[in-house]
Amino acid sequence: MKDLRFEHKRSLSRTEAADQLAALAQALREGGEAELELGSGVLSLRIPDELSSEVELEVGGGEVQLEVELTWPTGRAPAAGAAGEPESAPAKPAARPARSRKTAAAARTRRSTAKRA
């Protein structure tokens, strides 16, 4: 269960979207306690010096979806009895390095040769 969830959806012009991202970028640069104006309200956040990020692009169904996700710990210890990783552990496992087609083909060849032996 989430401690808090905030969601704000609305239609924006390209300029308004850029202004919203610029305000977020400024809050990230400053760090610490940040306030972002979203619609008729203000979102207050504590932004640490180190963050994790994920950028995802999906194209399909006649639209493009670009998601930029920033994550960081709340700084609170997990609730008593809650199972979880230590606070210093990464939230997600590290991705394997991408292999070129040539490298992937060579790996398949080595595996198929090993099976025949």
Short mmCIF file of all heavy atoms in Angstrom, two decimals, residues 10-22:
data_model
loop_
_atom_site.label_atom_id
_atom_site.label_comp_id
_atom_site.label_asym_id
_atom_site.label_seq_id
_atom_site.Cartn_x
_atom_site.Cartn_y
_atom_site.Cartn_z
N ARG A 10 -3.98 16.71 -17.05
CA ARG A 10 -4.69 17.74 -17.80
C ARG A 10 -4.06 17.89 -19.16
O ARG A 10 -2.94 17.44 -19.39
CB ARG A 10 -4.70 19.08 -17.06
CG ARG A 10 -3.36 19.77 -16.97
CD ARG A 10 -3.47 21.07 -16.19
NE ARG A 10 -2.18 21.74 -16.15
CZ ARG A 10 -1.95 22.95 -16.62
NH1 ARG A 10 -2.94 23.63 -17.13
NH2 ARG A 10 -0.76 23.48 -16.55
N SER A 11 -4.76 18.50 -20.04
CA SER A 11 -4.25 18.76 -21.38
C SER A 11 -3.41 20.03 -21.35
O SER A 11 -3.78 21.01 -20.70
CB SER A 11 -5.44 18.92 -22.34
OG SER A 11 -4.97 19.11 -23.65
N LEU A 12 -2.24 19.98 -21.99
CA LEU A 12 -1.31 21.12 -21.98
C LEU A 12 -0.90 21.48 -23.40
O LEU A 12 -0.82 20.62 -24.27
CB LEU A 12 -0.02 20.76 -21.23
CG LEU A 12 -0.08 20.31 -19.80
CD1 LEU A 12 1.28 19.77 -19.38
CD2 LEU A 12 -0.48 21.46 -18.91
N SER A 13 -0.57 22.74 -23.57
CA SER A 13 0.10 23.12 -24.81
C SER A 13 1.56 22.71 -24.69
O SER A 13 2.04 22.41 -23.59
CB SER A 13 0.00 24.64 -25.03
OG SER A 13 0.81 25.33 -24.08
N ARG A 14 2.28 22.70 -25.79
CA ARG A 14 3.70 22.36 -25.74
C ARG A 14 4.45 23.33 -24.83
O ARG A 14 5.32 22.93 -24.05
CB ARG A 14 4.26 22.39 -27.16
CG ARG A 14 5.67 21.85 -27.24
CD ARG A 14 6.21 21.81 -28.66
NE ARG A 14 6.37 23.16 -29.17
CZ ARG A 14 5.84 23.60 -30.32
NH1 ARG A 14 5.13 22.81 -31.07
NH2 ARG A 14 6.04 24.84 -30.71
N THR A 15 4.10 24.61 -24.88
CA THR A 15 4.75 25.62 -24.03
C THR A 15 4.45 25.38 -22.56
O THR A 15 5.35 25.46 -21.72
CB THR A 15 4.30 27.03 -24.44
OG1 THR A 15 4.60 27.23 -25.82
CG2 THR A 15 4.99 28.10 -23.61
N GLU A 16 3.21 25.05 -22.24
CA GLU A 16 2.86 24.76 -20.84
C GLU A 16 3.59 23.52 -20.33
O GLU A 16 4.05 23.50 -19.19
CB GLU A 16 1.34 24.56 -20.71
CG GLU A 16 0.54 25.83 -20.88
CD GLU A 16 -0.95 25.57 -20.97
OE1 GLU A 16 -1.35 24.55 -21.58
OE2 GLU A 16 -1.73 26.38 -20.43
N ALA A 17 3.71 22.50 -21.18
CA ALA A 17 4.45 21.30 -20.79
C ALA A 17 5.91 21.64 -20.53
O ALA A 17 6.51 21.18 -19.55
CB ALA A 17 4.33 20.23 -21.88
N ALA A 18 6.50 22.47 -21.39
CA ALA A 18 7.89 22.89 -21.20
C ALA A 18 8.05 23.68 -19.91
O ALA A 18 9.03 23.49 -19.18
CB ALA A 18 8.35 23.71 -22.40
N ASP A 19 7.10 24.55 -19.61
CA ASP A 19 7.16 25.34 -18.37
C ASP A 19 7.08 24.43 -17.14
O ASP A 19 7.80 24.63 -16.16
CB ASP A 19 6.02 26.37 -18.32
CG ASP A 19 6.20 27.50 -19.30
OD1 ASP A 19 7.33 27.69 -19.83
OD2 ASP A 19 5.21 28.21 -19.56
N GLN A 20 6.23 23.41 -17.21
CA GLN A 20 6.08 22.48 -16.10
C GLN A 20 7.38 21.69 -15.90
O GLN A 20 7.84 21.52 -14.76
CB GLN A 20 4.91 21.54 -16.37
CG GLN A 20 4.49 20.71 -15.19
CD GLN A 20 3.22 19.94 -15.48
OE1 GLN A 20 2.88 19.63 -16.63
NE2 GLN A 20 2.49 19.60 -14.43
N LEU A 21 7.98 21.23 -16.99
CA LEU A 21 9.25 20.51 -16.88
C LEU A 21 10.38 21.42 -16.41
O LEU A 21 11.25 20.99 -15.65
CB LEU A 21 9.60 19.86 -18.22
CG LEU A 21 8.71 18.68 -18.62
CD1 LEU A 21 9.03 18.25 -20.05
CD2 LEU A 21 8.86 17.54 -17.65
N ALA A 22 10.37 22.68 -16.84
CA ALA A 22 11.40 23.63 -16.40
C ALA A 22 11.29 23.88 -14.90
O ALA A 22 12.31 23.97 -14.20
CB ALA A 22 11.28 24.94 -17.17
#
